[in-house]
Amino acid sequence: MSKVLPSKATTVIIGGGIAGCSVAYHLAKMGQSDVVLLERRQLTCGTTWHAAGIVGQLRSSKSQTDMARYTVDLFKRLEDETEQATGFKQNGSVGLALTPGRVFDMKRNMSRAKQYGIEAHFLDTAEIHDRWPMFEVSDVLGGYFVPGNGQVNPIDVTNALAKGARMRGVAIHENVEVVSLIIRNGAVAGVTTDQGEIEATAVVLAGGMWARDFGAKHGVSIPLQAAEHFYIVTEPIKDLPTNLPATSISDEYTYFKEDAGKLLVGAFEPVAKPWGLDGIPKDFCFDTLPEDFDHFAPILEQAVRRMPMLESAGIQLFFNGPESFTPDGRYYLGETPELKNLFVAAGFNSQGIMSSGGAGKVTAEWIINRQPPMALSSYDIRRMMPFQASRAYLADRTVETLGLQMQLGWPSRQFSTARGARHLSLHSRLVEAGAQMAERSGWEQPAFFIEPGEKPGFDYSWSRPGWFEACRRESLAVQNDVVLFDQSNFSKFIVEGPDACLALEHICANSVNVPVGRIVYTQWLNERGGIEADLTVTRLAEDKYMVLSGGPMQVRDFDWLKKHIPTELRCLAYDTGAGYSMLSIMGPKSRGLLEGLSGADLSNEAFPFSTSQMIEVGYAKVRANRLTYVGELGWELIVPVEFSAHVYDRILAAGGDYGLRLGGWYTIDCCRMEKAYRRWGHDIDEDSTPIEAGLRFAVALKKKKAFIGREAIQRQLEQGPPKTRLVLFQAKEHGVEAPLMHGSEPIYRDGVCVGSVTTGSWGHRLGRSLAMGYVSSPDGVTDDIVRQSHFEVEVALQRHSLIAGLEPWYDPKGDRIRI
């Protein structure tokens, strides 16, 4: 081990837990041996050393599953490669279900496991008893077994990764504290330590629960918070089988693992205890937290009922240690939006061991290529908002997020903590009108509206949720009358300057060199042709544009915009979202309502589709964009915030004559599914191209200015029909017999799995269950294949026939939009 710090390195990694060591190992394996890892005390001393070490494979998406499966494969061979013990045992894992909802979720996961090539079995109670004969299973409704899962010793496997990194030239220095980052021109250029400076072209912050405060010191937002995590280890239990699979009973928030003849019983309780709210002590090392038996007692009592032999087993260790959790329960990877060359691998939510191999690998690839190797938006740190790093917010949210490890992932499940952070300017009026608020990136946005006498809140279901009838009302109103949607959480950027057009022509796949007042639907692509953003661009003046994108993508999209404006061009981009509301008026009667309010001519001749004009509503001047995300005639009104209440009141006062109804974004999602409008992050993402996604019409290959991703799109077109293509589906079954598809369900073509559902919902205007999903064919997915094949979807181990198509099911020619 080196004793003298080098003065330069290609990459410096801060943190010697399993995440930092995995990044170092993979960087070296990819040929970047000039890497330095700095640990303030000793390797594993933060939270890695006390992890349970359970390793699973099946996650909520293909990319996540691929990373988890890679981790298992890595652990299988790491000991042979490094001659360092890892403690890896492939005993499999078991999960128990105590409720019908959990059973259905398990069966959905079993269907996905088959698609991903992971062996998994649904178990009845007799089979569960065979694998864990000491469990009480009389109230168990079912379970699963994944034989390929296992467990490791966290300290040993981390040391194996560190040894593998050293073998390839990585310098690992313990007892070195990184004091600060070296920053030049908005980019990280190295680190300052208590033993000198190191220049570097990239720095990785893998500092676990210390990452938030270290980032904040440099103006970087890393929302994570430590929480107390409890488990017990029994005294040795006679004749305890050593091949017991690790087992979770999520409905009881507990997990069980055999550990050297003893039993470890841990919990992810629904009401957790944040720790270190005033900062993590600098000298915290292999420390534990004070016991709190009263907090853990209800979990232990439950575990004893489940496993009666625990009552007579002595407790050798009552453990309480901190682990870091993020506001949405997913960890952070990638380059920070605040500082170039600063990468994050932190906030692992008690999944650090099972995520370490894949997370380290993709982070290394991201650093070397300066772009993620696959769609990782659900882990990209740019998904978070800066306010979410505030101590008060994290203290409130972390109470809930620890328990997310065991919570049932209902469709559209809402957080109950840290709510009310960001209110629309019309919040109180909307609540008074019956809005049931759902959170999106901290925004409280109407999900649906209830009527007097209806039960408030969110009644979750895998079939027809509690808001099904409300969405039906709102969908039929948007089809027959007019609906007002408050979409003020949309991101709104301005790009202006003499070279604004040139800058956006470089970034946008479609051409924005259009007359003033035109609106262009476009994507921003990466060099692979993958879709980084899906948005509209409105030309406000010769030298000024407005960019509109979804609210959750605010930080990510603005970061992409800023980083890809060529430095030599004379233009400026700024975020103006907080200054404007967006009220969408949609439905066949929207023209009559708005013409009466504004006195403007809104006919097709005077105000064509995809154009923008200034109109007056009451005392306010607002920008009206003739667009739609619900497939009906309509306008999006961009209103200065100070006039929002005035405009809203005017619309409501006039709306009675037109059958005006208020609507929420759950209804928008139902309607956009009928029109096959894609949702970024689900139907389209960094791995899908406009050709595969059916968005070729939004790519202007012949425009004069070359755009990012143009060559990749051109090559794909030259290769013939895409081998993967987004296809539209509806269930053949009608009514209550039709399955609801939510995403990730496997799609079969003529009996062979060829893809999976990206998004799905009920289409109330059609009365059908709908979905979109990518299907693959080695010879290309042609129109004939889509029309002539027999497609099925597997929902919770049950196959259902599908009708497939490439045109929207509702108003395929778009006549209703242009009436």
Side-chain angles (χ1 to χ4, degrees), residues 145-163:
F145 175 57
V146 182
N149 292 346
Q151 59 193 64
V152 293
N153 182 301
I155 293 178
D156 287 346
V157 77
T158 303
N159 285 329
L161 288 167
K163 185 176 180 180

Side-chain angles (χ1 to χ4, degrees), residues 123 253 261 300 318-319 411 563 599:
L123 307 177
Y253 311 107
L300 185 56
F318 183 94
F319 183 83
K563 287 179 177 176

Side-chain angles (χ1 to χ4, degrees), residues 501 505 510-515 520 539 542 545 703-704:
C501 181
E505 284 285 88
N510 212 343
S511 178
V512 297
N513 190 9
V514 294
V520 178
R539 190 163 200 171
E542 289 297 321
Y545 292 83
K703 66 177 180 178
K704 294 180 180 179

Side-chain angles (χ1 to χ4, degrees), residues 485-795:
F485 300 101
D486 190 336
Q487 295 181 271
S488 300
N489 70 320
F490 259 57
S491 303
K492 310 165 194 78
F493 314 134
I494 298 294
V495 181
E496 66 176 326
D499 294 330
C501 181
L502 286 174
L504 287 173
E505 284 285 88
H506 169 68
I507 297 171
C508 297
N510 212 343
S511 178
V512 297
N513 190 9
V514 294
V516 172
R518 288 289 300 177
I519 304 171
V520 178
Y521 170 61
T522 187
Q523 287 80 44
W524 294 346
L525 308 181
N526 54 44
E527 295 291 352
R528 304 189 307 272
I531 300 172
E532 294 285 343
D534 182 67
L535 38 77
T536 63
V537 177
T538 303
R539 190 163 200 171
L540 306 180
E542 289 297 321
D543 60 351
K544 188 175 184 180
Y545 292 83
M546 175 178 281
V547 177
L548 288 177
S549 73
M553 281 73 79
Q554 178 183 352
V555 172
R556 190 183 193 284
D557 286 356
F558 194 56
D559 179 63
W560 183 272
L561 175 63
K562 290 187 301 180
K563 287 179 177 176
H564 289 85
I565 294 177
T567 55
E568 69 275 11
L569 296 185
R570 300 164 297 164
C571 72
L572 174 69
Y574 53 95
D575 188 333
T576 187
Y580 293 93
S581 297
M582 190 169 102
L583 305 179
S584 297
I585 312 296
M586 298 289 155
K589 297 180 182 178
S590 59
R591 177 179 283 122
L593 173 58
L594 283 177
E595 282 188 333
L597 282 170
S598 66
D601 181 358
L602 304 184
S603 65
N604 280 319
E605 294 73 23
F607 205 141
F609 183 70
S610 289
T611 64
S612 176
Q613 297 180 25
M614 297 297 294
I615 64 172
E616 295 179 0
V617 178
Y619 305 151
K621 291 186 176 181
V622 305
R623 176 164 295 280
N625 294 339
R626 190 172 169 192
L627 290 173
T628 182
Y629 196 53
V630 296
E632 304 286 353
L633 174 71
W635 281 262
E636 296 171 351
L637 305 181
I638 311 299
V639 185
V641 165
E642 64 268 30
F643 287 102
S644 299
H646 172 71
V647 170
Y648 173 84
D649 290 343
R650 288 293 179 111
I651 293 171
L652 256 62
D657 294 337
Y658 298 90
L660 177 70
R661 182 179 286 275
L662 299 176
W665 66 272
Y666 284 11
T667 295
I668 293 175
D669 197 52
C670 293
C671 292
R672 70 98 192 167
M673 181 64 65
E674 294 172 304
K675 283 293 295 178
Y677 294 143
R678 282 63 164 160
R679 185 202 297 170
W680 192 87
H682 298 270
D683 306 310
I684 50 178
D685 59 26
E686 311 97 302
D687 282 349
S688 54
T689 71
I691 310 306
E692 296 163 343
L695 299 174
R696 170 65 181 85
F697 67 91
V699 179
L701 283 173
K702 294 183 179 180
K703 66 177 180 178
K704 294 180 180 179
K705 179 70 174 178
F707 58 89
I708 301 169
R710 179 177 182 173
E711 292 182 359
I713 298 299
Q714 187 67 57
R715 285 195 302 270
Q716 188 174 39
L717 287 171
E718 292 169 355
Q719 292 168 0
K723 292 179 172 51
T724 300
R725 190 171 182 181
L726 189 68
V727 178
L728 316 180
F729 298 99
Q730 60 173 283
K732 278 190 176 180
E733 295 159 295
H734 291 260
V736 295
E737 300 298 324
L740 257 69
M741 296 165 278
H742 302 286
S744 298
E745 295 89 351
I747 297 170
Y748 289 80
R749 174 190 165 221
D750 299 332
V752 178
C753 186
V754 292
S756 62
V757 170
T758 52
T759 56
S761 74
W762 188 268
H764 292 278
R765 292 176 295 191
L766 294 169
R768 302 300 294 266
S769 176
L770 306 175
M772 298 186 224
Y774 285 95
V775 301
S776 298
S777 171
D779 299 322
V781 182
T782 63
D783 295 0
D784 287 344
I785 282 178
V786 173
R787 286 196 304 267
Q788 298 171 10
S789 300
H790 175 229
F791 286 98
E792 296 173 295
V793 64
E794 185 170 302
V795 180

